[in-house]
Amino acid sequence: MRKKLILVVIDGLTPEVFEDAVETESAPALAFLARHGSYRRGVSTFPSLTPVCLSSIATGAHPDVHRLPHLVWWHRGERRLVEYGSSFAAIRAAGMRRSIVDTIFNMNEQHLGRDAVTVFEALEEAGLTTGAVNITCYRGRTPHLPVVPGLTRPAYGPKEFFFYSLFESEVTGAPVGVFGRSSGSIDAYAGYVGRWLVTRDGFDLLVYYLPDYDFASHALGPGANQEALARSDAAVGALIEAAGGADEFLERYAVIVCSDHGQTSVERAVSLQAPLAGTEGVLVTASNRAGMVYRLPECREDTAELARRLDGTAAAEVVLYREGAEAVARRQGEELRFAPGDGDWLTSGDRSLLDQPDALERAWAALANPNAGELLVSPPLGVELTDLAGRSHLGGGSHGSLEAGDSTVPILTVGLEARTEVRRIVDLAPLALEHFGVKLPAYADAA
Ligand SMILES: [Zn+2]
């Protein structure tokens, strides 16, 4: 009998915090799972920002396939900004109603690439039942109407679909979770729904996304929020209890615990717009620790010139762009050119310029996303790029860059046999499909 599978994503949880919590047993549910599983540090995608990373987790693809480029980006077809929620002020600046519709509906219905296959789509196609709690990449085939009276636009998700008290495929009695973020209301909502689903044993795969840890880390800085971790741990513990205890839980379920990206401290907030100010036809989208520069049709400067103008600025540690069949990385005035070769990268220049985890692979995939800007910017450690409204997490934590601290995640697998090595967040969806004996999408099979 194949076990059912629960994929737990604790947003922004760093490997250091996870390892410490397990060692000291300060997170009892995670420590219990770690005792029965196998653990390694893994690598995220780039930009290491939540909508991008959760799409990678749910599809097993980097942004070249799933096409979500950033938290905020320029939609070339519709000639407008898409802002998924860098900050409340940024949402207001981009247009409140439009941002809400983009985040709730369009991200999955329109922005998520057609060639990407979510775990929900793949497993339900094979006749299994999947469930999603709060994960932003939820695309499935079942229409769900909002539970808010008067709203009639459906979202297409998995059969069991729970999304921030807005979509609920079952009446669970869960309290509305969208107020009280700083005290962990969203994870408490997830805990309630998760308990309900496990009690009824109503799924083959459940993706259980817990965002409140990241929210606390942004405010307090990475590693400084034991309370938030305790609440995320309690939301995992709720599932174990609902199964009737530890042994029953492990008998029934295989488990993956991971995060989507890391976090690093913010000591300085910098504008990526400033060094390019006054240049006609240049549009900057920046938020957290990643930025993009779009060349609009009226721009007269070429991409390489724009990249050179960011040399030595506080905003840019690495600037990436495409030139013909190659990608170019500029770092402190030096250049590395690279392209995928047969089994390894073809490079010219000093390869150690891109020494961050899986940097060539991640940079290449980010640049190959048709929704990405012509330039991609990864700032130095300690620097955050201000958003549309000039906001930042100065004094707290952030993520988004190629740097190891933003890009390294804990990955714990319990009760799973893997054919291939599991060391990146894009390996998790293929691992889940393999577990159920379901064929991988071509992009994941070739990887
Ligand atoms: Zn975050």
Side-chain angles (χ1 to χ4, degrees):
M1 260 293 284
R2 194 179 283 131
K3 287 181 186 178
K4 299 175 176 205
L5 175 61
I6 300 177
L7 167 56
V8 180
V9 184
I10 302 178
D11 196 319
L13 182 63
T14 63
E16 293 81 3
V17 169
F18 177 86
E19 289 157 21
D20 179 73
V22 161
E23 236 164 66
T24 61
E25 309 232 349
S26 61
L30 296 179
F32 162 74
L33 291 173
R35 277 199 300 280
H36 293 88
S38 93
Y39 172 75
R40 75 291 274 158
R41 291 186 175 198
V43 184
S44 182
T45 191
F46 175 70
S48 44
L49 296 163
T50 295
V52 186
C53 299
L54 291 182
S55 301
S56 287
I57 290 174
T59 64
H62 283 300
D64 54 335
V65 174
H66 72 54
R67 302 209 164 181
L68 290 195
H70 203 293
L71 261 171
V72 52
W73 54 283
W74 176 250
H75 195 307
R76 291 187 179 90
E78 297 177 9
R79 293 191 56 81
R80 68 176 186 94
L81 278 177
V82 175
E83 166 60 79
Y84 297 132
S86 300
S87 67
F88 189 72
I91 290 176
R92 210 161 41 200
M96 179 80 82
R97 205 193 109 76
R98 183 167 260 183
S99 285
I100 291 171
V101 171
D102 278 337
T103 307
I104 294 173
F105 295 101
N106 295 341
M107 191 194 297
N108 284 274
E109 199 181 274
Q110 293 167 25
H111 307 158
L112 186 66
R114 294 285 140 219
D115 296 335
V117 181
T118 68
V119 280
F120 311 112
E121 291 168 328
L123 293 178
E124 294 205 346
E125 187 76 36
L128 298 162
T129 299
T130 64
V133 180
N134 288 342
I135 185 166
T136 58
C137 183
Y138 59 68
R139 198 175 66 194
R141 305 205 201 286
T142 307
H144 298 276
L145 286 174
V147 294
V148 180
L151 295 184
T152 54
R153 180 172 172 180
Y156 289 81
K159 280 182 204 144
E160 295 291 358
F161 181 46
F162 298 85
F163 193 76
Y164 302 91
S165 309
L166 186 59
F167 299 99
E168 295 182 330
S169 50
E170 312 271 358
V171 179
T172 65
V176 171
V178 288
F179 307 108
R181 286 286 322 257
S182 55
S183 57
S185 61
I186 306 263
D187 289 2
Y189 169 81
Y192 196 102
V193 169
R195 193 189 298 267
W196 193 95
L197 286 168
V198 168
T199 302
R200 283 153 189 82
D201 200 17
F203 57 84
D204 295 293
L205 168 78
L206 174 65
V207 179
Y208 190 62
Y209 168 61
L210 304 173
D212 285 340
Y213 183 81
D214 184 71
F215 188 84
S217 292
H218 277 298
L220 303 171
N225 36 52
Q226 279 302 318
E227 250 183 86
L229 183 63
R231 287 193 296 258
S232 309
D233 187 73
V236 177
L239 305 182
I240 299 173
E241 272 168 38
D247 294 342
E248 291 82 352
F249 182 77
L250 289 183
E251 210 157 290
R252 211 196 297 166
Y253 300 110
V255 186
I256 302 169
V257 179
C258 66
S259 69
D260 51 345
H261 53 69
Q263 273 224 16
T264 49
S265 303
V266 179
E267 283 133 35
R268 202 173 159 198
V270 169
S271 160
L272 176 60
Q273 185 88 53
L276 299 168
T279 315
E280 206 189 332
V282 165
L283 187 125
V284 171
T285 66
S287 167
N288 287 270
R289 289 184 24 77
M292 306 198 291
V293 179
Y294 291 83
R295 289 180 66 241
L296 304 181
E298 60 270 30
C299 181
R300 275 185 226 101
E301 270 186 70
D302 74 23
T303 306
E305 270 168 53
L306 291 174
R308 277 194 295 275
R309 285 184 42 198
L310 295 172
D311 282 351
T313 62
E317 173 77 24
V318 178
V319 178
L320 300 159
Y321 59 97
R322 280 291 290 263
E323 207 166 74
E326 291 179 326
V328 183
R330 285 188 73 81
R331 191 173 188 176
Q332 277 134 29
E334 287 195 67
E335 234 172 64
L336 169 69
R337 291 172 173 267
F338 60 103
D342 201 12
D344 195 12
W345 293 93
L346 305 170
T347 58
S348 74
D350 180 1
R351 188 160 168 167
S352 71
L353 283 184
L354 275 188
D355 57 354
Q356 302 90 344
D358 293 353
L360 281 80
E361 173 188 320
R362 294 193 295 144
W364 183 268
L367 287 168
N369 180 351
N371 293 324
E374 275 78 4
L375 299 186
L376 301 183
V377 179
S378 177
L381 269 178
V383 168
E384 187 173 51
L385 304 178
T386 49
D387 71 19
L388 263 184
R391 299 299 161 91
S392 73
H393 302 100
L394 187 60
S398 189
H399 52 89
S401 79
L402 287 168
E403 299 297 326
D406 291 352
S407 307
T408 316
V409 299
I411 297 179
L412 174 70
T413 52
V414 187
L416 285 161
E417 303 281 333
R419 181 171 56 94
T420 48
E421 200 188 354
V422 175
R423 47 166 294 275
R424 308 170 300 171
I425 62 170
V426 291
D427 297 328
L428 299 175
L431 177 64
L433 299 194
E434 263 180 40
H435 174 72
F436 288 107
V438 169
K439 197 168 164 290
L440 307 190
Y443 58 80
D445 213 14

